[in-house]
Amino acid sequence: MCATAHRLHKHGTSLPASAGLLQTMNEQGRKRIAWHYLAADEAAARLEASFNDGLAESEVLSRRAIHGENRITPKPGKGPLQRFALQFVQPLILVLLAAGVVTAALGEWVDSGVILGVTLINALIGFIQEGRAESALATLAQSVPSEVTVLRGGCKQRLASTALVPGDVVLLAAGDKVPADLRLFRAKDLQAIESALTGESAAVAKHGETLPEDTLLADRGNMAYAGTVMISGQGAGVVVDTGDRTETGRISRLIAEAPDLTTPLTCRMAAFSNWLLIAIGVLAALTFAVGLWRGESAFAMFMAAVALAVGAIPEGLPAAMTITLAIGVSRMARRRAIIRKLPAVETLGSTTVICSDKTGTLTENQMTVREIHTGGKRTVVSGSGYSPNGKVGEGETIAGALRECLLAGALCNDAGLNRVNRHWEVVGDPTEGALLVVARKAGLDERTLQRLFPRLDEIPFDSARQYMATLHEIEGQRMAYYKGAFEQLLPRSQSMLDANGQSVPVRRVEIEVAARAMAAQGLRVLAIARLAADPALTLEAMGADSGLQFVGLVGMIDPPRPKAIAAVRTCHAAGITVKMITGDHAVTALSIARQIGIARAGETALNGRELAALDDEGLRGVVRSVNVFARVEPEQKLRLVRALQANGEVVAMTGDGVNDAPALKQAHIGIAMGLGGTEVAKDAADMVLTDDDFASIEAAIEEGRGVFDNLVKFITWTLPTNFGEGLVIVAAIVAGATLPITPLQILWINMTTAVFLGLMLAFEPIEHNVMRRPPRPPGAPILDTGLVWRIVLVSVLLLAGSFGLFLRELAQGESLAEARTVAVNVFVVVEAMYLFNCRSLTRTALGIGLFSNPAVWYGVLTMAVLQALLTYVPLMNRLFATAPIGLHQWLEILAVGVLAYVVVGIDKQWRARH
Ligand code: ATP
């Protein structure tokens, strides 16, 4: 059970319960309360809130019923009609619309009707697919919940920020995004960036003092507004407004921005399509002119030009790429990597270096204190996990330096330890949680200690400073406790406590040897020190530069994540280097790095101080060979990313703190931790791991490579159709023959096969060897020469097959409609067979498992039905100028399909060998 302290009701202005609160809140709608003008406890009294305990759960429920969830109602984005209309603003659709209008003007009503109908269907399909891709991405964006630390019923809890109600007491720390409008009542070095609200990008200091009524919003230092970000310090505030009633909610409701679906690759493809459009436009005009010159009718030549344009433009390409990327994004989400920026999906596949934090990403972040070194004596701690069952030492009394060490660890601590369903949970930093657990094992309950010796002042933990301090009054004397990296505290210590608790001169060498021995076992080492304080001074004024009294060392295990070991091995096989960049001590870091396989025996680590001494050139040289960087300050991560990038690497970098944000932004792929990361880091990242596990980065890279493969497969599959159709038309004109396929038939082929054949490649599972190849060079062309030749080969096969059979049918005296039906079916059958070739660009369909992508089979079966309808249903015959064909024609068509399949198969084999 959590401790409950007295409730804050000293004003006697006991306000009505929930109903009254509602009334107060309703009044706010007309006249808002100037919370900054009220004293903090007055504000709390108005909200019936207690600074010490927060709200009771029952009270939360009734307030939620009144105020609803703490979320801002999104402004509607583009309406469906507008989005549908935008589908028509595409070059190909405009060509089609023009063609429809011209054919109508020429009185060709059927053709015109079909062209316009197809345009409509095309827009509809685009609309649905884009909508699906967008909503998939939008749901993902919301699946990284924003969490806050709240005090409820006297307990610290981590909750989704949507669960807040007015009156909740929220604890703020550096890196938090403010979840609702808060009246601050405590602030220690608290600084916020409020640009989201005020446009001002400089940090503003926050405090708990009362301000004049007319203070402008931007100057209200005692308020923290929803959507702003805390960049340093600690503080606490009471929620005054939630959801739409917050300043952000009122001033500008968040616009439900559609996620950006463009990536460098889709841009490149769109540019390619546009370039092709111009080339084809010129070719179509030439065709038209040549035809006229040869005496063909203007209408026939117009239709040929339209056929050329419709056939040769790869209109489905950008949409298919977006969908393939979106499918990749949802696959990654299933493997616990949430993509926040779509281009990351592509870049992941090219990643050459992953820079990972140690604690929590490569290790479990489940700290358990194993040993304590105090007064020259080593004490072993038993028990595992966060359960306080276990012993400190072998039954000896806990006294002297050992007791002081445990006491300091519990007091200089912001974590909470709760028992939930017979299970012990730490709220806050696991390093601090472990200190609470070990204190309880020795019979010291942190809640009692914190009540007996309340905190008078604090210096919050900061990765750059590497220690934290708190001030307490103990038996009439002020005492400051420090805990942090031993390199920070030991040099500042002049004396130490011996085993009996007596002050003696500090024995540095002995302590250093003990610390290194712990670190060499992979233990995380924390030092504890204290300072008898002058009652008149604050912690900051006292400084911690010297004069500390060393109390002890605490060594805790943080085992490597089992999955990380395998993931590092896979990365190495995939040509990806893994580097550990940690704030921890070099010896601990190296020990863990060796266990995980990041460092080999004999390898050394570079620490932050050595790193600082290197110039950029020197650093570029060092980052080539060093894999473990220890005691690195967050700011140095940025230099490391830059040095790696200067060496031509594609860098993925993890981070969780506020100061990591610049490095996350600079890296090609910034990766934030979903569980342990700050909101600031998540905002800066391209990808968020929902389980903080290194293995999820490896999984995302694997998926990224798979997505890229599938894109290349789609392009390799789709281009021959366009080129083949273009070639058929040009060849027919050059040869002076009738068009083997009409524009409508080309439309039919492109529309149906892109949706039912090509798109199925997006569902292709990842190939088995995807993580055994080196990373794709980022600037490399999408198609290598081998694939370009394959595209040419299949285009020529399509030309020869369809034109050849078309001429043969005519020569055998079949009708034009039958000959054209054969030509159309050649295209579809060759594409279907070629689809199996494209499932892997190097291996045979049998080699990858004929049924490993069922979507392909469903697609092929659907196409078979559609072709049967096109060939045999009279209405379709009339609309598309087709005619029923016989068995022997089908056999010929199939023979062409099989031939194409075999030729491509031989090409694959030949290339695999050379
Ligand atoms: P990583 O960078 O891999 O996550 P880390 O947790 O060790 O590793 P930091 O959080 O930057 O990195 O911590 C740096 C050092 O500061 C730690 O090695 C430890 O000695 C000390 N430290 C960590 N957490 C605390 C804390 N809550 N209070 C005091 N000191 C701490």
Side-chain angles (χ1 to χ4, degrees):
M1 276 300 296
C2 295
T4 357
H6 65 279
R7 288 186 64 123
L8 186 130
H9 265 318
K10 56 183 176 189
H11 282 264
T13 49
S14 176
L15 275 163
S18 301
L21 187 77
L22 170 69
Q23 209 180 3
T24 317
M25 291 297 159
N26 282 344
E27 280 165 18
Q28 285 175 47
R30 275 172 263 132
K31 185 175 180 301
R32 287 170 72 82
I33 296 175
W35 293 104
H36 59 280
Y37 179 53
L38 297 181
D41 40 12
E42 210 176 314
R46 278 213 179 210
L47 291 157
E48 296 209 315
S50 152
F51 291 157
N52 296 321
D53 293 345
L55 293 175
E57 289 295 343
S58 53
E59 187 60 30
V60 170
L61 286 181
S62 58
R63 291 192 189 195
R64 172 114 19 85
I66 297 167
H67 301 282
E69 290 215 319
N70 174 33
R71 65 170 96 234
I72 295 174
T73 322
K75 225 188 211 175
K78 274 184 220 144
L81 266 181
Q82 200 186 350
R83 286 202 298 124
F84 183 65
L86 281 176
Q87 296 292 328
F88 290 90
V89 195
Q90 288 176 36
L92 179 90
I93 301 280
L94 295 177
V95 169
L96 282 180
L97 285 176
V101 171
V102 174
T103 38
L106 292 173
E108 300 288 335
W109 296 110
V110 176
D111 282 17
S112 166
V114 175
I115 292 179
L116 293 178
V118 166
T119 319
L120 209 65
I121 295 172
N122 192 49
L124 204 65
I125 291 176
F127 171 75
I128 294 170
Q129 288 178 338
E130 196 182 279
R132 275 219 224 127
E134 275 185 2
S135 67
L137 292 178
T139 352
L140 281 179
Q142 290 161 8
S143 60
V144 182
S146 176
E147 285 199 334
V148 282
T149 309
V150 185
L151 202 61
R152 279 195 186 160
C155 289
K156 270 186 203 167
Q157 301 180 14
R158 286 291 286 173
L159 296 176
S161 60
T162 48
L164 290 182
V165 294
D168 258 327
V169 171
V170 174
L171 307 180
L172 294 172
D176 285 351
K177 197 183 238 176
V178 179
D181 286 359
L182 311 176
R183 169 66 168 88
L184 297 169
F185 57 84
R186 201 174 65 223
K188 176 75 192 169
D189 301 335
L190 199 60
Q191 288 200 315
I193 298 279
E194 299 189 326
S195 55
L197 192 63
T198 62
E200 173 58 57
S201 58
V204 280
K206 293 285 160 183
H207 55 80
E209 308 307 321
T210 308
L211 289 168
E213 190 171 11
D214 57 357
T215 312
L216 294 176
L217 189 84
D219 300 326
R220 292 181 196 162
N222 59 6
M223 299 290 295
Y225 291 108
T228 60
V229 161
M230 291 299 156
I231 54 150
S232 69
Q234 282 183 331
V238 55
V239 174
V240 297
D241 278 315
T242 56
D244 291 340
R245 308 191 61 86
T246 59
E247 289 296 337
T248 320
R250 270 173 7 109
I251 295 171
S252 66
R253 292 219 178 146
L254 286 183
I255 296 164
E257 272 179 39
D260 190 1
L261 295 179
T262 52
T263 73
L265 201 60
T266 55
C267 287
R268 256 160 86 188
M269 285 324 288
F272 171 69
S273 296
N274 288 342
W275 174 85
L276 215 58
L277 193 74
I278 296 170
I280 290 161
V282 172
L283 203 63
L286 271 178
T287 318
F288 188 73
V290 169
L292 281 188
W293 175 70
R294 290 175 62 145
E296 307 279 352
S297 80
F299 174 69
M301 282 307 98
F302 173 75
M303 288 313 267
V306 170
L308 188 61
V310 169
I313 299 170
E315 68 274 12
L317 206 50
M321 296 189 71
T322 310
I323 290 158
T324 311
L325 289 171
I327 290 176
V329 165
S330 24
R331 281 183 179 177
M332 288 178 190
R334 257 178 267 139
R335 299 181 73 178
R336 302 180 200 283
I338 307 289
I339 296 293
R340 295 190 67 248
K341 295 167 193 161
L342 197 57
V345 182
E346 288 166 24
T347 325
L348 269 169
S350 314
T351 304
T352 57
V353 178
I354 308 174
C355 297
S356 175
D357 278 339
K358 170 180 73 70
T359 314
T361 313
L362 291 164
T363 64
E364 303 259 23
N365 211 6
Q366 284 273 329
M367 309 275 174
T368 314
V369 175
R370 274 275 165 268
E371 50 182 88
I372 301 175
H373 183 93
T374 43
K377 218 176 116 221
R378 176 170 173 259
T379 310
V380 175
V381 181
S382 64
S384 65
Y386 292 139
S387 154
N389 294 322
K391 281 200 293 187
V392 178
E394 290 302 322
E396 65 263 32
T397 41
I398 310 281
L402 179 58
R403 185 176 185 282
E404 193 63 6
C405 187
L406 295 167
L407 178 98
L411 285 176
C412 186
N413 202 311
D414 286 321
L417 185 62
N418 299 331
R419 190 171 185 169
V420 186
N421 302 332
R422 299 203 194 157
H423 184 76
W424 290 90
E425 274 181 13
V426 163
V427 182
D429 184 351
T431 305
E432 298 190 347
L435 294 173
L436 298 184
V437 174
V438 70
R440 287 213 200 177
K441 283 177 183 170
L444 298 172
D445 184 300
E446 79 282 358
R447 294 156 309 177
T448 318
L449 294 176
Q450 285 161 6
R451 245 199 324 273
L452 287 173
F453 315 120
R455 188 180 292 188
L456 306 172
D457 194 8
E458 67 198 342
I459 298 178
F461 172 72
D462 174 77
S463 287
R465 198 188 288 128
Q466 294 183 346
Y467 70 82
M468 133 174 205
T470 54
L471 183 67
H472 306 266
E473 183 150 312
I474 294 184
E475 287 151 16
Q477 200 199 0
R478 291 213 161 183
M479 185 65 82
Y481 287 118
Y482 295 82
K483 82 171 197 303
F486 75 87
E487 301 102 302
Q488 295 297 332
L489 299 186
L490 189 56
R492 295 175 159 102
S493 300
Q494 279 176 351
S495 61
M496 65 179 269
L497 282 187
D498 72 4
N500 301 321
Q502 301 301 316
S503 179
V504 293
V506 64
R507 301 193 289 267
R508 280 183 221 285
V509 178
E510 174 194 296
I511 294 170
E512 256 176 43
V513 169
R516 280 181 186 280
M518 283 185 190
Q521 303 166 49
L523 293 184
R524 180 175 175 80
V525 186
L526 271 195
I528 307 272
R530 67 178 201 178
L531 180 63
D534 179 337
L537 294 180
T538 60
L539 270 178
E540 207 70 59
M542 277 157 48
D545 286 341
S546 63
L548 300 190
Q549 185 171 50
F550 198 82
V551 179
L553 295 169
V554 181
M556 40 188 95
I557 52 158
D558 180 18
R561 287 178 182 266
K563 281 201 281 177
I565 301 174
V568 167
R569 208 177 306 128
T570 311
C571 285
H572 287 163
I576 301 164
T577 316
V578 182
K579 298 192 186 283
M580 178 193 275
I581 300 186
T582 175
D584 213 336
H585 189 266
V587 179
T588 311
L590 261 181
S591 164
I592 301 280
R594 284 201 198 106
Q595 291 174 44
I596 296 178
I598 291 178
R600 280 185 301 267
E603 238 182 270
T604 52
L606 190 84
N607 69 37
R609 219 173 329 109
E610 294 162 331
L611 199 154
L614 289 170
D615 62 5
D616 289 347
E617 196 55 40
L619 190 59
R620 278 184 62 178
V622 162
V623 292
R624 288 203 178 91
S625 54
V626 175
N627 290 322
V628 179
F629 297 85
R631 289 291 190 229
V632 171
E633 290 184 22
E635 287 74 15
Q636 293 179 323
K637 285 188 173 179
L638 185 62
R639 277 193 75 203
L640 281 170
V641 174
R642 290 207 171 120
L644 285 163
Q645 287 175 332
N647 288 346
E649 307 281 5
V650 178
V651 186
M653 162 73 89
T654 68
D656 45 19
V658 191
N659 306 341
D660 291 337
L664 292 180
K665 285 206 181 116
Q666 174 71 32
H668 294 96
I669 309 275
I671 306 168
M673 301 300 136
L675 301 175
T678 56
E679 295 303 318
V680 174
K682 288 182 206 168
D683 268 1
D686 302 284
M687 181 167 108
V688 177
L689 304 182
T690 55
D691 60 356
D692 294 8
D693 193 337
F694 179 83
S696 306
I697 306 178
E698 184 267 310
I701 289 182
E702 193 177 326
E703 291 293 346
R705 289 185 175 196
V707 166
F708 206 90
D709 274 4
N710 288 353
L711 287 176
V712 176
K713 287 172 192 176
F714 181 81
I715 297 169
T716 313
W717 174 83
T718 196
L719 288 183
T721 316
N722 299 108
F723 293 161
E725 286 163 349
L727 283 176
V728 168
I729 306 293
V730 173
I733 303 215
V734 171
T738 329
L739 287 188
I741 339 175
T742 67
L744 292 190
Q745 290 165 348
I746 287 184
L747 268 181
W748 166 269
I749 298 173
N750 289 5
M751 293 268 316
T752 53
T753 60
V755 176
F756 297 107
L757 296 181
L759 263 190
M760 302 306 153
L761 288 173
F763 298 98
E764 200 53 44
I766 300 172
E767 287 193 46
H768 75 295
N769 66 346
V770 79
M771 290 303 268
R772 270 179 252 150
R773 307 181 211 142
R776 199 183 69 86
I782 302 168
L783 301 175
D784 60 23
T785 23
L787 291 182
V788 172
W789 276 115
R790 189 171 299 164
I791 289 169
V792 172
L793 179 72
V794 180
S795 308
V796 172
L797 281 171
L798 277 168
L799 166 70
S802 64
F803 206 10
L805 282 194
F806 171 77
L807 291 178
R808 192 178 131 89
E809 294 300 312
L810 288 183
Q812 284 178 352
E814 309 290 357
S815 69
L816 180 60
E818 272 181 82
R820 280 181 167 160
T821 310
V822 169
V824 169
N825 278 312
V826 166
F827 261 90
V828 174
V829 169
V830 170
E831 276 184 60
M833 296 301 279
Y834 182 50
L835 185 71
F836 286 97
N837 284 129
C838 288
R839 290 190 52 213
S840 166
L841 296 173
T842 47
R843 296 188 308 141
T844 62
L846 283 177
I848 51 171
L850 210 46
F851 299 102
S852 54
N853 178 6
V856 166
W857 285 101
Y858 297 136
V860 169
L861 287 178
T862 313
M863 269 321 294
V865 172
L866 288 176
Q867 285 312 105
L869 294 178
L870 183 78
T871 311
Y872 296 106
V873 172
L875 175 68
M876 298 294 271
N877 292 158
R878 223 169 316 131
L879 288 180
F880 287 92
T882 50
I885 52 173
L887 181 65
H888 74 279
Q889 284 148 321
W890 277 117
L891 290 176
E892 284 169 3
I893 294 166
L894 279 177
V896 174
V898 172
L899 181 74
Y901 180 80
V902 173
V903 170
V904 176
I906 293 171
D907 174 57
K908 268 191 202 177
Q909 294 283 321
W910 189 81
R911 280 186 200 287
R913 250 180 246 143
H914 295 83

